[in-house]
């Protein structure tokens, strides 16, 4: 099959002025059921994301206001207010279990957080040196999905020490946006009015620009316009901490896309794959932030560069960087391989052996303990975990090994599609 790419117009989308934020805090109920965990004695973008190590600051909160005005600049650093809606009850939470209560020997834990379709909780697993998993805790999703077989978009925000959670990946009308504090489970709702609601979008956290989201099907109801399918829009939805100034203009992608993947590495943002209105894409774009000064003006200073395409078209895939090579893994793709792409030479340099199973969705990251590539299946397949070792001479991953009893919960033996994020967090 020959993949056809189309060139979409580079449309600048003017965002309206935002309103002054306030927050609503939702108290998370105490967990009441006990967890029985069996540890194994055998021996998942890597650096799945290339964000800096987390700090010890708390999630953002905002000062409540009456009759908010439309400021020309973003508000000062927010503060917490009392909750204004009824807390979530345990009756509304299913599959909820109690985390281990023994004090950890090392509070810094490499973590895979994930949520599958139709689940009401986010699972936090420690990634072990044995290439297996151990459940740390579960936190409830703080708002309801409008469709029963759906899930929110989640991503780790290291500055806020929180899971940033947005919308519903299958419903562009869901405009919920906020932060779930990992330590307390408290949810802080943002009222920046920046996240307009999107389906099938991608996102990354950056040190200089905060949280950015890309493409998807964009809700334009607040401008009384129809749904913008396969959007080119790039949007800053969260500031870097203590950098509350004007919201920054973000240049549009060159190609509108949904189901794409994104990664931030050494002050460069890469977005690849996904699909346009007709085909899956092998195209890749890069926005260079290396000369950008944090807090500075972005208009006419930042732009997207179209790089030479990757060999394989892919959607619902994952991007990660290892040994300065950009890797594309899992998802719906031409072959069940992991493609290595040299970002400087703009060319594919390697392709791994075939994975054992076809992961049409799921998590792909490198275990920081072992430098092993871990693939966690999703997309309706059984809950397979595969592991591969890196070959530096060929700049690729070797044969994949199937992991028996990987330590994931029994309820996830049959797993639908996933939202996930990989990071290291201090649980002290």
């Amino acid at each position: 099959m020959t993949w056809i790419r189309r060139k979409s117009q580079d449309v600048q989308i003017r965002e309206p002025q935002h309103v002054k934020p306030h927050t609503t805090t939702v108290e998370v109920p105490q967990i009441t059921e006990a967890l029985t965990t069996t540890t194994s004695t055998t021996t998942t973008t890597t650096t799945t994301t290339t964000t800096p190590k987390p700090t010890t600051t708390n999630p953002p909160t905002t000062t409540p206001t009456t009759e908010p005005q439309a400021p020309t600049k973003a508000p000062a650093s927010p503060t917490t207010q009392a909750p204004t809606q009824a807390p979530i009850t345990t009756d509304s939470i299913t599959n909820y279990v109690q985390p281990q209560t023994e004090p950890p020997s090392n509070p810094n834990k490499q973590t895979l957080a994930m949520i599958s379709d139709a689940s009401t909780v986010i699972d936090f697993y420690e990634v072990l040196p044995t290439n297996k998993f151990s459940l740390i805790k579960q936190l409830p999703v703080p708002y309801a999905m409008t469709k029963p077989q759906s899930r929110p978009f989640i991503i780790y925000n290291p500055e806020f020490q929180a899971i940033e959670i947005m919308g519903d990946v299958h419903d562009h009308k869901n405009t919920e946006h906020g932060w779930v504090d990992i330590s307390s489970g408290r949810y802080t709702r943002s009222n920046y009015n920046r996240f307009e609601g999107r389906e099938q979008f991608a996102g990354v956290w950056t040190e200089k620009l905060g949280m950015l989201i890309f493409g998807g099907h964009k809700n334009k109801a607040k401008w009384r316009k129809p749904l913008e399918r396969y959007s080119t829009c790039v949007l800053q939805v969260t500031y870097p901490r203590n950098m509350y100034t004007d919201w920054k203009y973000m240049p549009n992608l060159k190609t509108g896309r949904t189901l794409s993947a994104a990664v931030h590495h050494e002050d460069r943002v890469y977005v690849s794959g996904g699909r346009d209105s007709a085909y899956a894409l092998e195209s890749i774009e890069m926005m260079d932030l290396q000369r950008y000064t944090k807090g500075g003006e972005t208009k006419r200073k930042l732009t997207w560069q179209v790089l030479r395409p990757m060999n394989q078209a892919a959607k619902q895939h994952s991007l990660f960087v290892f040994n300065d090579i950009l890797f594309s893994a899992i998802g719906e793709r031409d072959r069940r391989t992991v493609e290595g792409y040299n970002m400087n030479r703009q060319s594919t340099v390697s392709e791994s052996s075939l994975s054992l199973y076809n992961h049409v969705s799921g998590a792909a990251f490198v275990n920081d303990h072992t430098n092993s590539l871990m693939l966690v299946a999703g997309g309706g397949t059984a809950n397979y975990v595969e592991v591969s070792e890196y070959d530096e001479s060929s700049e690729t991953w070797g044969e994949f090994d199937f992991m028996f009893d990987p330590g994931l919960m029994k309820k996830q033996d049959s797993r639908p599609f996933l939202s996930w994020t990989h990071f290291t967090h201090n649980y002290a």
Side-chain angles (χ1 to χ4, degrees), residues 46-47 265-266 320-327 341-344 349 366 371 390-393 395-397:
T46 95
T47 0
H265 176 67
E266 293 184 349
F320 62 92
V321 177
F322 184 74
N323 273 10
D324 292 323
I325 300 294
L326 176 68
F327 290 97
Y341 183 87
N342 188 300
M343 297 168 284
N344 294 323
V349 295
V366 172
N371 287 338
Y390 188 70
D391 183 349
E392 292 191 11
S393 62
E395 297 182 323
T396 192
W397 301 93

Side-chain angles (χ1 to χ4, degrees), residues 112-379:
L112 174 67
M114 58 186 179
I115 180 171
S116 58
D117 282 347
S119 178
T120 58
V121 293
I122 305 171
D123 300 319
F124 293 77
Y125 290 98
E126 181 180 6
V127 184
L128 301 173
T130 57
N131 287 333
K132 294 196 174 186
F133 301 93
S134 176
L135 184 68
I136 302 170
K137 62 164 56 181
Q138 292 181 305
L139 295 176
V141 177
Y143 57 88
M145 301 294 106
T146 53
K147 298 183 179 181
Q149 294 295 322
S150 196
R151 66 190 188 279
F153 176 87
I154 62 171
I155 187 169
Y156 182 63
N157 188 317
E159 288 192 322
F160 297 156
Q161 296 286 281
I163 295 296
E164 190 149 348
I165 184 169
M166 285 176 264
D168 180 333
V169 298
H170 297 307
D171 182 11
H172 62 272
K173 295 180 181 180
N174 190 324
T175 60
E176 193 75 33
H177 174 211
W179 303 268
V180 178
D181 182 84
I182 295 175
S183 298
S184 67
R186 179 171 296 178
Y187 175 60
T188 303
R189 179 181 290 111
S190 168
N191 196 24
Y192 290 154
N193 198 28
R194 293 293 289 175
F195 181 69
E196 69 286 86
R198 300 193 186 198
E199 298 176 25
Q200 302 173 355
F201 62 97
V204 295
W205 179 87
T206 68
E207 182 182 8
K208 292 181 176 179
L209 291 170
M211 193 67 67
L212 304 178
I213 60 174
F214 314 97
H217 298 316
K218 177 182 175 181
N219 181 8
K220 302 188 74 174
K222 66 180 180 180
W223 300 289
R224 297 182 179 179
K225 294 183 178 180
L227 178 68
E228 181 177 279
R229 296 185 178 275
Y230 308 100
S231 176
T232 61
C233 179
V234 178
L235 188 65
Q236 181 190 39
V237 294
T238 302
Y239 281 113
R241 199 166 184 83
N242 300 322
M243 289 293 294
Y244 292 86
T245 58
D246 292 332
W247 290 107
K248 299 304 180 185
Y249 162 86
M250 289 290 110
N252 291 333
L253 295 166
K254 302 296 184 182
T255 299
R257 57 186 82 213
T258 64
L259 301 173
S260 62
V263 68
H264 174 237
H265 176 67
E266 293 184 349
D267 272 347
R268 289 177 174 171
V269 178
Y270 298 86
V271 177
S272 85
R275 65 164 294 149
D276 60 15
S277 59
Y279 301 100
L281 303 169
E282 65 268 28
S283 62
I284 179 169
E285 303 182 38
M286 182 270 291
M287 181 171 64
D288 193 344
L289 305 179
Q290 291 184 339
R291 296 184 180 181
Y292 172 70
T293 301
K294 187 176 181 179
E297 182 58 53
T298 58
K299 198 167 187 177
R300 293 184 294 273
K301 293 186 177 180
L302 296 180
T303 187
W304 289 94
Q305 177 186 354
V306 178
L307 307 182
R308 295 189 186 96
M310 304 185 84
N311 279 356
Q312 292 190 58
K315 62 181 181 178
Q316 297 189 129
H317 59 298
S318 297
L319 289 180
F320 62 92
V321 177
F322 184 74
N323 273 10
D324 292 323
I325 300 294
L326 176 68
F327 290 97
S328 170
I330 65 172
E332 297 183 48
R333 55 195 308 113
D334 293 346
R335 295 174 293 281
R336 299 196 320 266
T337 59
V338 179
E339 180 177 353
Y341 183 87
N342 188 300
M343 297 168 284
N344 294 323
R345 289 157 44 188
Q346 299 184 30
S347 63
T348 295
V349 295
S350 65
E351 193 167 327
S352 74
S353 58
L354 294 176
S355 62
L356 300 175
Y357 300 96
N358 184 25
H359 306 307
V360 297
S361 172
F365 63 92
V366 172
N367 185 338
D368 295 337
H369 297 299
T370 62
N371 287 338
S372 301
L373 172 61
M374 303 189 71
L375 305 181
V376 181

